Amino acid sequence: MDLNTIYPLIVPSTYYIAGTWDLPHQNFPNKDYILTWVFFKAESSMTYITRADFELLNANHTNWQQIAFENLRNSLDTEESFYTSFRISENDNKLSFLVFSNLDGIGSSRILLSYEFDQAFPEGYNVAMPDSSGGLIISNDLSSVEHKILEDVIKEYYGCTGTPMSSTVMLPSDFSLPSEWLLPLDNDLSSWMIEEMLSNNK
């Protein structure tokens, strides 16, 4: 089993069907969604974790969930930044929101990287994931103009790959996870991600 190919993935809670699909998962406070994991490489299709995989990981790797999130941090195409686009407010040159529509197709999972977002958005933030391939991190300091632009962005991304998630803005606490899973293994990479976000605040 190659730990470098495992990634966290948010899916609707309806994916777990007791007695039919025993999908290993972690519950969120938001009961509409669960966290599961997938294996994939750039050149291959995504494969959901099985119960046998889950038991093997737990038996042999105490920090495999943390490794999965570190893989997510590292899953960038050579032409990509940490986020794929962003919006700066017109009135105070502050970061309004970030969009994650990364080429790996799991941009929605990036809303879980709270270790970095807590530091980059000291004023607080909300999250959105209109599609499984796209997520947004949204500053709490949005103006009315930025709110309208945000609504249009969410509408544009909702179900854009045929896998709609939610058209609403949610709290990061809706998706709380064990803090040790979210601690970076590469502090330099994590610091770079934070600086990438902070550099847009003037």
Side-chain angles (χ1 to χ4, degrees), residues 19-87:
T20 302
W21 188 10
D22 182 22
L23 182 65
H25 64 275
Q26 171 81 11
N27 290 321
F28 289 121
N30 186 328
K31 300 303 181 185
D32 291 333
Y33 302 95
I34 57 176
L35 177 72
T36 190
W37 297 269
V38 292
F39 294 101
F40 76 95
K41 297 180 180 179
E43 68 276 8
S44 65
S45 60
M46 186 181 295
T47 304
Y48 284 89
I49 191 173
T50 66
R51 180 60 56 180
D53 295 328
F54 186 72
E55 292 176 354
L56 189 61
L57 286 164
N58 285 331
N60 294 290
H61 306 282
T62 56
N63 68 332
W64 67 268
Q65 294 97 336
Q66 185 183 16
I67 292 171
F69 277 101
E70 192 72 0
N71 292 340
L72 184 63
R73 290 184 180 94
N74 279 287
S75 180
L76 294 174
D77 186 84
T78 54
E79 301 300 318
E80 283 188 309
S81 296
F82 169 49
Y83 45 86
T84 54
S85 60
F86 62 95
R87 168 81 185 179

Side-chain angles (χ1 to χ4, degrees), residues 115-129:
Y115 180 89
E116 285 78 17
F117 299 136
D118 286 344
Q119 297 176 70
F121 290 86
E123 73 281 7
Y125 67 92
N126 290 314
V127 302
M129 49 173 187

Side-chain angles (χ1 to χ4, degrees), residues 99-120:
V99 178
F100 297 89
S101 184
N102 303 76
L103 292 175
D104 57 24
I106 53 173
S108 58
S109 293
R110 287 172 169 80
I111 70 168
L112 300 174
L113 295 172
S114 58
Y115 180 89
E116 285 78 17
F117 299 136
D118 286 344
Q119 297 176 70

